[in-house]
Each structure stands twice: as C-alpha cells, then as structure tokens.
Amino acid sequence: MSQSTKGVLQTARLLLREFTPLDADALTLVLSDPETMRYYPAPYDRAGVEQWIERNRKRYQYDGVGLWAMELTKTQQIIGDCGIILQQVEGERLYEIGYHLRRDFWGQGLATEAAIACRDWAFAHLKAERLISLIRPENLPSCRVAERTGMTVWKEVNWRGLPHYVYSVEKEKPQAS
C-alpha cells in the first residue's frame, strides 16, 4: 500500500516526489531518449526538459497535482516521472495518470507500480469519479500499464492532432450492506 505525505507517494521500490530544477539532468535521460519518446511529436532537448519541470511545479501550485519525479528508493536515482495532471479532453476536465520511464528500467513493473499508487492516491484525495490515461493506440507498453492499473479503453479521440485512446477507470462505489 502506498502512503502520501504532501504530494509524495512511497511504494515498495519507488518514491514519487515533486520535481526541483536540480532534477533536469536525470529527467533529460528519459525525455530526450528518441525510443522512450517515440509516441510524442519529438523528444525534448535540455531546455524542453527544464520547461517540463517548471510546468509541473506550476501544476503543483495551481492544481495541487502534477507529474512527480519517480525515484528508486534504494539508490535515490530518478528514473522517470509519474503523477496526476488535469487534462482537457473534448471539453471535459479530467485527471490523467501520466508516466514516463527510462528505457533501461522497462519491463520491471515500475511504471505499473507508480501508476497504481497514483490511482489509489487520486481516488482517496481528489474529488474524481474517473481517472484517465491518454495513450496513442500503437504505444502498446503504455496500454499494458494502463490495463494493469484497471483501466479499459473508454473512447478514442483526436487529441493534439493525433489519435489517442482514452483509457479510464472509475472509482469503486462502496458496497451496500
């Protein structure tokens, strides 16, 4: 089970915490990798990574959520990001679980572990009945992470000029006794 302290989540292997400007070097290894970012219009350069961090720091302030640094607890090494961001999809504001993981850590269940912690935190702390993940249909690894968090394809949309699946999971209603 994850625990939360002021927007910070702890899992068995990960710490999710707010980004600082000092995280740019580590995050560049993730967001500048052409393979990791192949479903984005382009990988980010160093300035783009710094802007990414600053955008998320503003989200923490204005939305109370954002993408958090994904840090291995054993080594304190940043290996990606995962968190909750408000997205506008077809005129509706929805909380999205987003994640990016450094390629040399793929296939170890770390993105799923972080995404499940974010899902559980969001349903416990936000007034959200539904969480989404926007994923390009050809991005099968991200689709599998979404499915492992209990999400299914809700609809298909054209988002930022590209086709995306909107994966969705709804908050479980308490059982009547």
Short mmCIF file of all heavy atoms in Angstrom, two decimals, residues 61-86:
data_model
loop_
_atom_site.label_atom_id
_atom_site.label_comp_id
_atom_site.label_asym_id
_atom_site.label_seq_id
_atom_site.Cartn_x
_atom_site.Cartn_y
_atom_site.Cartn_z
N GLN A 61 1.32 23.98 -7.70
CA GLN A 61 0.84 25.20 -7.06
C GLN A 61 -0.62 25.47 -7.38
O GLN A 61 -1.41 25.78 -6.50
CB GLN A 61 1.72 26.36 -7.52
CG GLN A 61 1.54 27.63 -6.76
CD GLN A 61 2.54 28.69 -7.23
OE1 GLN A 61 3.45 28.43 -8.01
NE2 GLN A 61 2.35 29.89 -6.76
N TYR A 62 -1.01 25.35 -8.66
CA TYR A 62 -2.34 25.76 -9.09
C TYR A 62 -3.36 24.63 -9.07
O TYR A 62 -4.54 24.88 -8.81
CB TYR A 62 -2.29 26.40 -10.48
CG TYR A 62 -1.46 27.65 -10.49
CD1 TYR A 62 -0.26 27.73 -11.19
CD2 TYR A 62 -1.85 28.78 -9.76
CE1 TYR A 62 0.51 28.87 -11.17
CE2 TYR A 62 -1.09 29.94 -9.73
CZ TYR A 62 0.09 29.97 -10.44
OH TYR A 62 0.86 31.10 -10.43
N ASP A 63 -2.95 23.41 -9.38
CA ASP A 63 -3.89 22.28 -9.46
C ASP A 63 -3.78 21.35 -8.26
O ASP A 63 -4.62 20.47 -8.08
CB ASP A 63 -3.64 21.46 -10.73
CG ASP A 63 -3.84 22.26 -12.01
OD1 ASP A 63 -4.60 23.25 -11.99
OD2 ASP A 63 -3.24 21.89 -13.04
N GLY A 64 -2.70 21.47 -7.48
CA GLY A 64 -2.48 20.57 -6.36
C GLY A 64 -1.94 19.21 -6.76
O GLY A 64 -1.74 18.33 -5.92
N VAL A 65 -1.71 19.02 -8.06
CA VAL A 65 -1.18 17.76 -8.60
C VAL A 65 -0.24 18.08 -9.75
O VAL A 65 -0.16 19.22 -10.21
CB VAL A 65 -2.31 16.82 -9.09
CG1 VAL A 65 -3.13 16.28 -7.95
CG2 VAL A 65 -3.21 17.51 -10.12
N GLY A 66 0.44 17.08 -10.23
CA GLY A 66 1.34 17.22 -11.38
C GLY A 66 2.10 15.92 -11.54
O GLY A 66 1.90 14.97 -10.78
N LEU A 67 2.96 15.88 -12.53
CA LEU A 67 3.84 14.72 -12.66
C LEU A 67 4.94 14.85 -11.61
O LEU A 67 5.50 15.93 -11.43
CB LEU A 67 4.44 14.64 -14.07
CG LEU A 67 3.44 14.33 -15.18
CD1 LEU A 67 4.10 14.46 -16.54
CD2 LEU A 67 2.83 12.95 -15.00
N TRP A 68 5.20 13.76 -10.92
CA TRP A 68 6.22 13.75 -9.87
C TRP A 68 7.46 12.98 -10.34
O TRP A 68 7.38 12.09 -11.19
CB TRP A 68 5.66 13.07 -8.62
CG TRP A 68 4.53 13.83 -7.98
CD1 TRP A 68 4.52 15.15 -7.61
CD2 TRP A 68 3.24 13.31 -7.63
NE1 TRP A 68 3.31 15.48 -7.05
CE2 TRP A 68 2.51 14.37 -7.06
CE3 TRP A 68 2.64 12.06 -7.74
CZ2 TRP A 68 1.20 14.21 -6.60
CZ3 TRP A 68 1.34 11.91 -7.28
CH2 TRP A 68 0.63 12.98 -6.72
N ALA A 69 8.59 13.32 -9.78
CA ALA A 69 9.82 12.58 -10.05
C ALA A 69 9.66 11.16 -9.51
O ALA A 69 9.20 10.96 -8.39
CB ALA A 69 11.01 13.26 -9.37
N MET A 70 10.02 10.18 -10.33
CA MET A 70 9.98 8.77 -9.94
C MET A 70 11.41 8.38 -9.56
O MET A 70 12.30 8.34 -10.41
CB MET A 70 9.48 7.90 -11.10
CG MET A 70 9.28 6.44 -10.75
SD MET A 70 8.96 5.37 -12.19
CE MET A 70 7.60 6.16 -13.01
N GLU A 71 11.60 8.12 -8.28
CA GLU A 71 12.94 7.88 -7.74
C GLU A 71 13.01 6.47 -7.16
O GLU A 71 12.12 6.05 -6.43
CB GLU A 71 13.15 8.91 -6.64
CG GLU A 71 14.55 9.09 -6.16
CD GLU A 71 14.62 10.23 -5.14
OE1 GLU A 71 14.69 11.40 -5.53
OE2 GLU A 71 14.62 9.91 -3.93
N LEU A 72 14.07 5.74 -7.50
CA LEU A 72 14.29 4.43 -6.88
C LEU A 72 14.67 4.64 -5.42
O LEU A 72 15.61 5.39 -5.14
CB LEU A 72 15.41 3.67 -7.58
CG LEU A 72 15.09 2.98 -8.90
CD1 LEU A 72 16.36 2.38 -9.49
CD2 LEU A 72 14.02 1.92 -8.72
N THR A 73 13.99 3.99 -4.50
CA THR A 73 14.28 4.23 -3.08
C THR A 73 15.67 3.72 -2.70
O THR A 73 16.33 4.34 -1.87
CB THR A 73 13.22 3.58 -2.17
OG1 THR A 73 13.02 2.23 -2.56
CG2 THR A 73 11.91 4.32 -2.24
N LYS A 74 16.13 2.64 -3.32
CA LYS A 74 17.44 2.07 -2.96
C LYS A 74 18.60 3.00 -3.31
O LYS A 74 19.58 3.07 -2.59
CB LYS A 74 17.66 0.73 -3.66
CG LYS A 74 17.02 -0.43 -2.97
CD LYS A 74 17.42 -1.74 -3.63
CE LYS A 74 16.76 -2.91 -2.93
NZ LYS A 74 17.01 -4.16 -3.63
N THR A 75 18.48 3.71 -4.45
CA THR A 75 19.61 4.49 -4.95
C THR A 75 19.35 6.00 -5.02
O THR A 75 20.27 6.75 -5.33
CB THR A 75 19.98 4.02 -6.38
OG1 THR A 75 18.87 4.27 -7.24
CG2 THR A 75 20.36 2.55 -6.41
N GLN A 76 18.11 6.43 -4.75
CA GLN A 76 17.70 7.83 -4.91
C GLN A 76 17.90 8.34 -6.35
O GLN A 76 18.00 9.53 -6.60
CB GLN A 76 18.43 8.78 -3.93
CG GLN A 76 17.92 8.69 -2.51
CD GLN A 76 18.50 7.51 -1.77
OE1 GLN A 76 19.71 7.34 -1.71
NE2 GLN A 76 17.65 6.68 -1.19
N GLN A 77 17.94 7.42 -7.30
CA GLN A 77 18.13 7.75 -8.71
C GLN A 77 16.77 8.03 -9.36
O GLN A 77 15.85 7.22 -9.23
CB GLN A 77 18.81 6.55 -9.37
CG GLN A 77 19.16 6.69 -10.80
CD GLN A 77 19.81 5.41 -11.34
OE1 GLN A 77 19.65 4.32 -10.80
NE2 GLN A 77 20.55 5.56 -12.41
N ILE A 78 16.65 9.17 -10.07
CA ILE A 78 15.42 9.47 -10.80
C ILE A 78 15.43 8.66 -12.09
O ILE A 78 16.37 8.75 -12.88
CB ILE A 78 15.31 10.98 -11.10
CG1 ILE A 78 15.13 11.74 -9.79
CG2 ILE A 78 14.14 11.25 -12.05
CD1 ILE A 78 15.12 13.23 -9.95
N ILE A 79 14.34 7.88 -12.27
CA ILE A 79 14.25 7.01 -13.44
C ILE A 79 13.05 7.34 -14.32
O ILE A 79 12.77 6.63 -15.28
CB ILE A 79 14.22 5.53 -13.02
CG1 ILE A 79 13.04 5.25 -12.10
CG2 ILE A 79 15.55 5.14 -12.37
CD1 ILE A 79 12.76 3.77 -11.89
N GLY A 80 12.34 8.42 -13.99
CA GLY A 80 11.20 8.81 -14.80
C GLY A 80 10.29 9.75 -14.04
O GLY A 80 10.70 10.40 -13.09
N ASP A 81 9.03 9.79 -14.50
CA ASP A 81 8.02 10.57 -13.80
C ASP A 81 6.71 9.80 -13.81
O ASP A 81 6.50 8.92 -14.64
CB ASP A 81 7.86 11.97 -14.40
CG ASP A 81 7.35 11.99 -15.83
OD1 ASP A 81 6.62 11.07 -16.25
OD2 ASP A 81 7.66 12.94 -16.56
N CYS A 82 5.87 10.12 -12.87
CA CYS A 82 4.52 9.57 -12.82
C CYS A 82 3.71 10.50 -11.93
O CYS A 82 4.24 11.03 -10.94
CB CYS A 82 4.51 8.15 -12.26
SG CYS A 82 2.90 7.32 -12.39
N GLY A 83 2.47 10.70 -12.28
CA GLY A 83 1.64 11.56 -11.45
C GLY A 83 0.28 11.78 -12.06
O GLY A 83 -0.14 11.06 -12.97
N ILE A 84 -0.38 12.80 -11.55
CA ILE A 84 -1.74 13.14 -11.95
C ILE A 84 -1.73 14.56 -12.51
O ILE A 84 -1.20 15.47 -11.86
CB ILE A 84 -2.69 13.12 -10.72
CG1 ILE A 84 -2.57 11.82 -9.95
CG2 ILE A 84 -4.12 13.43 -11.15
CD1 ILE A 84 -3.17 10.61 -10.59
N ILE A 85 -2.28 14.73 -13.70
CA ILE A 85 -2.40 16.07 -14.26
C ILE A 85 -3.83 16.27 -14.79
O ILE A 85 -4.47 15.33 -15.22
CB ILE A 85 -1.36 16.37 -15.37
CG1 ILE A 85 -1.40 15.33 -16.48
CG2 ILE A 85 0.03 16.46 -14.80
CD1 ILE A 85 -0.45 15.64 -17.62
N LEU A 86 -4.30 17.51 -14.70
CA LEU A 86 -5.61 17.86 -15.25
C LEU A 86 -5.46 18.03 -16.75
O LEU A 86 -4.60 18.78 -17.22
CB LEU A 86 -6.11 19.16 -14.62
CG LEU A 86 -6.95 18.99 -13.36
CD1 LEU A 86 -7.20 20.36 -12.72
CD2 LEU A 86 -8.26 18.30 -13.64
#
